[in-house]
Amino acid sequence: MPASSVDCKLLNLDAVRKAVLNTKPYHYAIAPDVLDRSTWSSITRDFPAIKSGGSFPLTTLTYGPAFDQLCQELLSKEFEQIVEEKFGLALSALPTMLTVRGHGRSKADGKIHTDSKEKVITVLLYLNEEWTQPGGRLRVLRGKNDLQDYAAEIPPLMGQMLLFKRCDYSWHGHEPCEGERRSVQLNWASSDRYTKYEGFRHKLSAFFKGNKEY
Protein backbone atom coordinates (compact mmCIF):
# COMPACT_ATOMS: atom_id res chain seq x y z
CA MET A 1 0.00 0.00 0.00
CA PRO A 2 1.15 3.59 -0.63
CA ALA A 3 2.65 5.47 2.29
CA SER A 4 1.13 8.92 1.66
CA SER A 5 -1.13 10.96 -0.57
CA VAL A 6 -0.58 13.81 -3.01
CA ASP A 7 -1.01 17.33 -1.59
CA CYS A 8 -3.69 18.52 -4.05
CA LYS A 9 -6.97 17.19 -5.42
CA LEU A 10 -6.55 15.19 -8.60
CA LEU A 11 -10.07 14.97 -10.01
CA ASN A 12 -11.62 18.10 -11.49
CA LEU A 13 -15.10 17.54 -10.10
CA ASP A 14 -16.46 20.66 -11.80
CA ALA A 15 -15.66 19.08 -15.17
CA VAL A 16 -17.69 16.02 -14.16
CA ARG A 17 -20.51 18.16 -12.78
CA LYS A 18 -20.74 20.21 -16.00
CA ALA A 19 -20.63 17.22 -18.36
CA VAL A 20 -23.80 17.12 -20.44
CA LEU A 21 -26.12 14.16 -19.84
CA ASN A 22 -27.15 12.67 -23.16
CA THR A 23 -30.33 10.58 -23.28
CA LYS A 24 -29.92 8.92 -26.69
CA PRO A 25 -29.12 6.16 -27.47
CA TYR A 26 -29.02 5.79 -23.66
CA HIS A 27 -28.12 7.93 -20.65
CA TYR A 28 -24.42 8.83 -20.76
CA ALA A 29 -22.06 11.74 -20.19
CA ILE A 30 -18.53 12.42 -21.37
CA ALA A 31 -16.32 14.52 -19.10
CA PRO A 32 -13.10 15.53 -20.86
CA ASP A 33 -10.01 16.77 -19.03
CA VAL A 34 -10.97 15.69 -15.51
CA LEU A 35 -7.24 15.47 -14.72
CA ASP A 36 -5.02 18.52 -15.02
CA ARG A 37 -1.92 17.97 -17.13
CA SER A 38 0.25 18.82 -14.12
CA THR A 39 -0.94 15.61 -12.41
CA TRP A 40 -0.27 13.26 -15.32
CA SER A 41 3.35 12.38 -14.54
CA SER A 42 2.64 11.41 -10.92
CA ILE A 43 -0.36 9.28 -11.90
CA THR A 44 1.65 7.57 -14.63
CA ARG A 45 4.54 6.99 -12.22
CA ASP A 46 2.28 5.48 -9.54
CA PHE A 47 0.07 3.38 -11.81
CA PRO A 48 0.33 -0.34 -10.89
CA ALA A 49 2.67 -2.58 -12.87
CA ILE A 50 0.06 -4.73 -14.60
CA LYS A 51 1.59 -7.60 -16.55
CA SER A 52 -1.33 -8.86 -18.62
CA GLY A 53 -4.79 -8.12 -19.99
CA GLY A 54 -8.02 -8.21 -18.03
CA SER A 55 -9.39 -6.37 -15.00
CA PHE A 56 -7.72 -6.33 -11.58
CA PRO A 57 -9.14 -5.31 -8.18
CA LEU A 58 -7.03 -2.85 -6.19
CA THR A 59 -6.31 -5.52 -3.57
CA THR A 60 -4.34 -7.52 -6.13
CA LEU A 61 -2.09 -4.62 -7.16
CA THR A 62 0.87 -2.62 -5.90
CA TYR A 63 0.81 1.11 -6.69
CA GLY A 64 1.99 4.50 -5.54
CA PRO A 65 0.35 7.38 -3.61
CA ALA A 66 -0.92 9.43 -6.57
CA PHE A 67 -2.80 6.49 -8.04
CA ASP A 68 -4.12 5.58 -4.61
CA GLN A 69 -5.44 9.10 -4.11
CA LEU A 70 -7.09 9.05 -7.53
CA CYS A 71 -8.94 5.85 -6.64
CA GLN A 72 -10.00 7.24 -3.26
CA GLU A 73 -11.36 10.39 -4.91
CA LEU A 74 -13.39 8.25 -7.31
CA LEU A 75 -14.76 6.32 -4.33
CA SER A 76 -15.52 9.48 -2.36
CA LYS A 77 -18.97 10.65 -1.30
CA GLU A 78 -18.34 13.94 -3.12
CA PHE A 79 -17.92 12.19 -6.45
CA GLU A 80 -20.85 9.88 -5.69
CA GLN A 81 -23.15 12.84 -5.07
CA ILE A 82 -22.25 14.36 -8.45
CA VAL A 83 -23.06 11.07 -10.19
CA GLU A 84 -26.33 10.80 -8.23
CA GLU A 85 -27.38 14.28 -9.30
CA LYS A 86 -26.44 13.71 -12.93
CA PHE A 87 -28.43 10.49 -13.33
CA GLY A 88 -31.19 11.20 -10.78
CA LEU A 89 -30.40 8.06 -8.81
CA ALA A 90 -29.82 7.25 -5.14
CA LEU A 91 -26.47 5.43 -5.03
CA SER A 92 -25.30 5.73 -1.42
CA ALA A 93 -26.85 2.41 -0.35
CA LEU A 94 -25.38 0.50 -3.29
CA PRO A 95 -22.05 -1.35 -3.16
CA THR A 96 -19.19 -0.16 -5.34
CA MET A 97 -16.55 -2.05 -7.28
CA LEU A 98 -13.34 -0.56 -8.66
CA THR A 99 -11.12 -2.41 -11.12
CA VAL A 100 -8.01 -1.48 -13.10
CA ARG A 101 -6.86 -2.40 -16.60
CA GLY A 102 -3.38 -1.98 -18.01
CA HIS A 103 -3.37 -3.74 -21.38
CA GLY A 104 -5.48 -4.36 -24.44
CA ARG A 105 -5.66 -7.93 -25.69
CA SER A 106 -6.30 -7.55 -29.40
CA LYS A 107 -9.63 -9.20 -30.34
CA ALA A 108 -10.27 -10.36 -26.77
CA ASP A 109 -11.32 -6.84 -25.72
CA GLY A 110 -13.77 -4.35 -27.11
CA LYS A 111 -16.56 -6.65 -28.23
CA ILE A 112 -19.98 -5.02 -28.25
CA HIS A 113 -21.76 -5.46 -24.92
CA THR A 114 -24.06 -3.69 -22.44
CA ASP A 115 -22.33 -4.57 -19.11
CA SER A 116 -23.71 -7.03 -16.56
CA LYS A 117 -27.32 -6.58 -15.51
CA GLU A 118 -26.23 -6.18 -11.89
CA LYS A 119 -24.33 -2.98 -12.71
CA VAL A 120 -26.27 0.24 -12.21
CA ILE A 121 -23.74 2.93 -13.20
CA THR A 122 -20.39 2.52 -14.95
CA VAL A 123 -17.63 5.12 -14.83
CA LEU A 124 -14.57 4.70 -17.05
CA LEU A 125 -11.52 6.92 -16.58
CA TYR A 126 -8.67 6.60 -19.07
CA LEU A 127 -5.05 7.15 -18.06
CA ASN A 128 -2.89 7.06 -21.21
CA GLU A 129 -0.73 10.14 -21.85
CA GLU A 130 -0.90 9.54 -25.59
CA TRP A 131 -2.86 7.33 -27.95
CA THR A 132 -1.89 6.71 -31.57
CA GLN A 133 -3.63 3.42 -32.36
CA PRO A 134 -6.78 3.54 -34.49
CA GLY A 135 -8.38 0.91 -32.23
CA GLY A 136 -9.13 1.13 -28.51
CA ARG A 137 -11.38 4.21 -28.75
CA LEU A 138 -14.57 3.43 -26.87
CA ARG A 139 -17.79 3.98 -28.81
CA VAL A 140 -21.28 4.68 -27.49
CA LEU A 141 -23.29 2.56 -29.92
CA ARG A 142 -26.81 2.91 -31.28
CA GLY A 143 -27.24 -0.86 -31.58
CA LYS A 144 -25.67 -4.23 -30.94
CA ASN A 145 -24.48 -5.15 -34.41
CA ASP A 146 -22.34 -2.36 -35.84
CA LEU A 147 -19.25 -0.74 -34.30
CA GLN A 148 -19.42 1.93 -37.00
CA ASP A 149 -22.88 3.12 -35.92
CA TYR A 150 -21.92 5.21 -32.90
CA ALA A 151 -23.19 8.35 -31.18
CA ALA A 152 -19.86 9.23 -29.55
CA GLU A 153 -16.26 8.03 -29.47
CA ILE A 154 -13.90 8.48 -26.52
CA PRO A 155 -10.14 8.17 -27.04
CA PRO A 156 -8.49 6.50 -24.04
CA LEU A 157 -6.40 9.57 -23.24
CA MET A 158 -5.46 10.75 -19.76
CA GLY A 159 -8.41 12.38 -18.02
CA GLN A 160 -11.14 11.33 -20.45
CA MET A 161 -14.14 10.02 -18.51
CA LEU A 162 -17.30 8.25 -19.64
CA LEU A 163 -20.24 7.76 -17.28
CA PHE A 164 -23.35 5.80 -18.26
CA LYS A 165 -26.44 4.19 -16.80
CA ARG A 166 -26.51 0.51 -17.62
CA CYS A 167 -29.61 -0.75 -19.44
CA ASP A 168 -30.54 -3.49 -21.89
CA TYR A 169 -29.43 -1.28 -24.79
CA SER A 170 -26.34 0.46 -23.33
CA TRP A 171 -24.25 -0.99 -26.13
CA HIS A 172 -20.59 0.00 -26.30
CA GLY A 173 -17.31 -1.40 -27.59
CA HIS A 174 -14.16 -0.52 -29.50
CA GLU A 175 -11.99 -1.65 -32.37
CA PRO A 176 -9.23 -4.10 -31.35
CA CYS A 177 -5.96 -2.77 -30.00
CA GLU A 178 -2.82 -4.29 -28.53
CA GLY A 179 -0.39 -3.17 -25.86
CA GLU A 180 -0.71 -0.78 -22.96
CA ARG A 181 -4.17 0.72 -22.43
CA ARG A 182 -4.60 2.06 -18.92
CA SER A 183 -7.98 2.68 -17.31
CA VAL A 184 -9.93 2.58 -14.07
CA GLN A 185 -13.53 1.38 -13.94
CA LEU A 186 -15.90 2.21 -11.10
CA ASN A 187 -19.31 0.57 -10.81
CA TRP A 188 -22.26 0.92 -8.52
CA ALA A 189 -23.97 -2.47 -8.40
CA SER A 190 -27.36 -3.75 -7.35
CA SER A 191 -26.12 -6.17 -4.67
CA ASP A 192 -23.22 -7.09 -2.42
CA ARG A 193 -23.50 -10.64 -3.67
CA TYR A 194 -22.53 -9.53 -7.16
CA THR A 195 -19.59 -7.35 -6.09
CA LYS A 196 -18.24 -10.10 -3.81
CA TYR A 197 -18.52 -12.69 -6.58
CA GLU A 198 -16.85 -10.40 -9.10
CA GLY A 199 -14.14 -9.50 -6.60
CA PHE A 200 -13.39 -13.17 -5.99
CA ARG A 201 -13.40 -13.93 -9.71
CA HIS A 202 -11.00 -11.10 -10.51
CA LYS A 203 -8.70 -12.04 -7.63
CA LEU A 204 -8.57 -15.63 -8.82
CA SER A 205 -7.79 -14.44 -12.34
CA ALA A 206 -5.06 -12.11 -11.02
CA PHE A 207 -3.47 -15.00 -9.12
CA PHE A 208 -3.19 -17.12 -12.26
CA LYS A 209 -1.90 -14.13 -14.25
CA GLY A 210 0.81 -13.57 -11.67
CA ASN A 211 -0.28 -10.08 -10.57
CA LYS A 212 -0.93 -10.94 -6.94
CA GLU A 213 1.86 -10.51 -4.38
CA TYR A 214 1.61 -13.11 -1.62
Side-chain angles (χ1 to χ4, degrees):
M1 287 295 294
S4 61
S5 298
V6 181
D7 292 335
C8 61
K9 287 277 189 180
L10 296 176
L11 280 179
N12 180 350
L13 294 179
D14 280 339
V16 183
R17 190 177 287 109
K18 293 175 182 177
V20 174
L21 179 66
N22 301 277
T23 58
K24 295 181 179 180
Y26 48 88
H27 289 74
Y28 74 94
I30 298 172
D33 304 321
V34 302
L35 296 170
D36 188 85
R37 188 174 287 271
S38 64
T39 69
W40 289 13
S41 59
S42 60
I43 293 170
T44 297
R45 178 198 65 213
D46 291 348
F47 190 86
I50 296 177
K51 303 171 185 176
S52 58
S55 298
F56 296 86
L58 284 179
T59 53
T60 69
L61 300 170
T62 300
Y63 46 88
F67 183 76
D68 177 63
Q69 180 173 324
L70 177 61
C71 293
Q72 296 312 311
E73 289 183 24
L74 286 169
L75 291 166
S76 70
K77 286 297 179 184
E78 191 175 8
F79 181 72
E80 182 178 74
Q81 287 170 1
I82 292 172
V83 179
E84 284 185 323
E85 291 168 6
K86 189 166 297 296
F87 290 95
L89 295 172
L91 300 175
S92 59
L94 301 181
T96 56
M97 179 172 61
L98 192 148
T99 54
V100 186
R101 281 179 174 260
H103 289 273
R105 298 178 297 177
S106 188
K107 293 182 180 180
D109 289 333
K111 293 180 180 179
I112 297 173
H113 64 290
T114 61
D115 277 6
S116 303
K117 288 186 176 181
E118 292 83 359
K119 293 179 180 179
V120 177
I121 294 287
T122 293
V123 176
L124 285 162
L125 175 61
Y126 292 104
L127 300 174
N128 307 282
E129 292 195 37
E130 60 178 24
W131 192 260
T132 58
Q133 296 189 52
R137 301 165 188 266
L138 194 71
R139 294 173 178 176
V140 174
L141 301 172
R142 297 188 178 93
K144 62 181 179 180
N145 297 316
D146 188 1
L147 264 174
Q148 307 308 317
D149 184 17
Y150 56 92
E153 183 181 67
I154 303 95
L157 289 167
M158 182 76 78
Q160 300 294 304
M161 178 182 283
L162 171 69
L163 311 91
F164 68 89
K165 181 181 177 182
R166 191 272 167 201
C167 65
D168 289 343
Y169 48 90
S170 54
W171 303 105
H172 57 283
H174 61 75
E175 297 282 2
C177 66
E178 292 189 57
E180 193 169 71
R181 185 175 182 270
R182 296 178 168 189
S183 65
V184 175
Q185 179 170 314
L186 171 63
N187 293 103
W188 282 266
S190 58
S191 70
D192 281 318
R193 181 179 179 183
Y194 173 75
T195 55
K196 288 176 181 177
Y197 168 77
E198 286 295 295
F200 172 78
R201 186 174 68 84
H202 286 310
K203 285 179 182 179
L204 189 63
S205 176
F207 173 79
F208 286 110
K209 291 173 182 174
N211 248 93
K212 174 69 181 177
E213 293 192 359
Y214 288 95

Short mmCIF file of all heavy atoms in Angstrom, two decimals, residues 18-24 26-30 85-88 163-165:
data_model
loop_
_atom_site.label_atom_id
_atom_site.label_comp_id
_atom_site.label_asym_id
_atom_site.label_seq_id
_atom_site.Cartn_x
_atom_site.Cartn_y
_atom_site.Cartn_z
N LYS A 18 -20.26 19.46 -14.83
CA LYS A 18 -20.74 20.21 -16.00
C LYS A 18 -20.92 19.34 -17.25
O LYS A 18 -21.45 19.83 -18.25
CB LYS A 18 -19.76 21.34 -16.29
CG LYS A 18 -19.72 22.42 -15.22
CD LYS A 18 -18.63 23.45 -15.52
CE LYS A 18 -18.56 24.50 -14.43
NZ LYS A 18 -17.44 25.46 -14.67
N ALA A 19 -20.50 18.09 -17.19
CA ALA A 19 -20.63 17.22 -18.36
C ALA A 19 -22.10 17.05 -18.71
O ALA A 19 -22.94 16.79 -17.85
CB ALA A 19 -19.99 15.87 -18.08
N VAL A 20 -22.41 17.20 -19.98
CA VAL A 20 -23.80 17.12 -20.44
C VAL A 20 -24.30 15.68 -20.40
O VAL A 20 -23.61 14.75 -20.86
CB VAL A 20 -23.92 17.66 -21.88
CG1 VAL A 20 -25.32 17.47 -22.43
CG2 VAL A 20 -23.52 19.14 -21.92
N LEU A 21 -25.50 15.48 -19.85
CA LEU A 21 -26.12 14.16 -19.84
C LEU A 21 -26.89 13.97 -21.13
O LEU A 21 -27.85 14.68 -21.41
CB LEU A 21 -27.06 14.01 -18.64
CG LEU A 21 -27.79 12.66 -18.56
CD1 LEU A 21 -26.80 11.53 -18.32
CD2 LEU A 21 -28.86 12.68 -17.48
N ASN A 22 -26.45 13.03 -21.93
CA ASN A 22 -27.15 12.67 -23.16
C ASN A 22 -28.16 11.56 -22.86
O ASN A 22 -27.90 10.69 -22.02
CB ASN A 22 -26.15 12.18 -24.21
CG ASN A 22 -25.11 13.23 -24.55
OD1 ASN A 22 -25.35 14.11 -25.36
ND2 ASN A 22 -23.95 13.14 -23.91
N THR A 23 -29.29 11.57 -23.54
CA THR A 23 -30.33 10.58 -23.28
C THR A 23 -30.51 9.59 -24.43
O THR A 23 -31.24 8.62 -24.29
CB THR A 23 -31.68 11.26 -23.00
OG1 THR A 23 -32.03 12.07 -24.13
CG2 THR A 23 -31.58 12.13 -21.76
N LYS A 24 -29.85 9.83 -25.55
CA LYS A 24 -29.92 8.92 -26.69
C LYS A 24 -28.51 8.59 -27.16
O LYS A 24 -27.65 9.47 -27.19
CB LYS A 24 -30.71 9.57 -27.85
CG LYS A 24 -32.18 9.80 -27.51
CD LYS A 24 -32.90 10.42 -28.70
CE LYS A 24 -34.39 10.64 -28.37
NZ LYS A 24 -35.11 11.24 -29.52
N TYR A 26 -28.72 6.10 -25.06
CA TYR A 26 -29.02 5.79 -23.66
C TYR A 26 -28.43 6.92 -22.82
O TYR A 26 -27.84 7.88 -23.37
CB TYR A 26 -28.50 4.41 -23.24
CG TYR A 26 -27.06 4.10 -23.62
CD1 TYR A 26 -26.00 4.44 -22.81
CD2 TYR A 26 -26.77 3.42 -24.81
CE1 TYR A 26 -24.69 4.13 -23.15
CE2 TYR A 26 -25.47 3.11 -25.16
CZ TYR A 26 -24.43 3.47 -24.33
OH TYR A 26 -23.14 3.16 -24.68
N HIS A 27 -28.58 6.85 -21.52
CA HIS A 27 -28.12 7.93 -20.65
C HIS A 27 -26.60 7.82 -20.44
O HIS A 27 -26.12 6.87 -19.80
CB HIS A 27 -28.84 7.89 -19.31
CG HIS A 27 -30.28 8.30 -19.40
ND1 HIS A 27 -31.24 7.49 -19.94
CD2 HIS A 27 -30.91 9.45 -19.03
CE1 HIS A 27 -32.41 8.11 -19.90
NE2 HIS A 27 -32.24 9.30 -19.36
N TYR A 28 -25.87 8.83 -20.94
CA TYR A 28 -24.42 8.83 -20.76
C TYR A 28 -23.91 10.27 -20.75
O TYR A 28 -24.57 11.20 -21.24
CB TYR A 28 -23.73 8.03 -21.86
CG TYR A 28 -23.69 8.71 -23.22
CD1 TYR A 28 -22.59 9.48 -23.61
CD2 TYR A 28 -24.76 8.61 -24.12
CE1 TYR A 28 -22.55 10.11 -24.85
CE2 TYR A 28 -24.73 9.23 -25.35
CZ TYR A 28 -23.62 9.98 -25.71
OH TYR A 28 -23.59 10.61 -26.93
N ALA A 29 -22.73 10.44 -20.20
CA ALA A 29 -22.06 11.74 -20.19
C ALA A 29 -20.58 11.53 -20.42
O ALA A 29 -20.01 10.54 -19.95
CB ALA A 29 -22.30 12.46 -18.86
N ILE A 30 -19.97 12.45 -21.14
CA ILE A 30 -18.53 12.42 -21.37
C ILE A 30 -17.94 13.66 -20.70
O ILE A 30 -18.34 14.79 -20.99
CB ILE A 30 -18.20 12.43 -22.87
CG1 ILE A 30 -18.76 11.17 -23.55
CG2 ILE A 30 -16.68 12.52 -23.09
CD1 ILE A 30 -18.66 11.19 -25.06
N GLU A 85 -26.65 13.13 -8.77
CA GLU A 85 -27.38 14.28 -9.30
C GLU A 85 -27.49 14.20 -10.82
O GLU A 85 -28.54 14.53 -11.40
CB GLU A 85 -26.67 15.57 -8.89
CG GLU A 85 -26.76 15.87 -7.40
CD GLU A 85 -25.82 16.98 -6.98
OE1 GLU A 85 -25.19 17.61 -7.87
OE2 GLU A 85 -25.72 17.24 -5.76
N LYS A 86 -26.45 13.76 -11.46
CA LYS A 86 -26.44 13.71 -12.93
C LYS A 86 -27.47 12.71 -13.45
O LYS A 86 -28.17 12.97 -14.43
CB LYS A 86 -25.04 13.36 -13.44
CG LYS A 86 -24.91 13.50 -14.96
CD LYS A 86 -23.48 13.48 -15.40
CE LYS A 86 -22.69 14.64 -14.86
NZ LYS A 86 -23.20 15.96 -15.38
N PHE A 87 -27.55 11.54 -12.82
CA PHE A 87 -28.43 10.49 -13.33
C PHE A 87 -29.76 10.40 -12.57
O PHE A 87 -30.62 9.58 -12.93
CB PHE A 87 -27.71 9.14 -13.27
CG PHE A 87 -26.60 9.02 -14.27
CD1 PHE A 87 -25.30 9.31 -13.92
CD2 PHE A 87 -26.85 8.64 -15.59
CE1 PHE A 87 -24.26 9.21 -14.84
CE2 PHE A 87 -25.84 8.54 -16.52
CZ PHE A 87 -24.53 8.83 -16.15
N GLY A 88 -29.94 11.22 -11.53
CA GLY A 88 -31.19 11.20 -10.78
C GLY A 88 -31.41 9.89 -10.05
O GLY A 88 -32.54 9.40 -9.96
N LEU A 163 -19.31 8.24 -18.30
CA LEU A 163 -20.24 7.76 -17.28
C LEU A 163 -21.52 7.34 -18.00
O LEU A 163 -22.02 8.08 -18.86
CB LEU A 163 -20.58 8.84 -16.26
CG LEU A 163 -19.44 9.63 -15.62
CD1 LEU A 163 -19.13 10.89 -16.42
CD2 LEU A 163 -19.78 10.01 -14.18
N PHE A 164 -22.07 6.18 -17.66
CA PHE A 164 -23.35 5.80 -18.26
C PHE A 164 -24.18 4.94 -17.32
O PHE A 164 -23.66 4.24 -16.45
CB PHE A 164 -23.16 5.12 -19.62
CG PHE A 164 -22.51 3.75 -19.60
CD1 PHE A 164 -23.27 2.60 -19.47
CD2 PHE A 164 -21.14 3.63 -19.74
CE1 PHE A 164 -22.68 1.35 -19.47
CE2 PHE A 164 -20.53 2.38 -19.74
CZ PHE A 164 -21.30 1.23 -19.61
N LYS A 165 -25.49 5.02 -17.54
CA LYS A 165 -26.44 4.19 -16.80
C LYS A 165 -26.65 2.91 -17.58
O LYS A 165 -27.06 2.94 -18.75
CB LYS A 165 -27.76 4.93 -16.63
CG LYS A 165 -28.81 4.17 -15.85
CD LYS A 165 -30.09 4.98 -15.75
CE LYS A 165 -31.19 4.21 -15.02
NZ LYS A 165 -32.45 4.99 -14.96
#
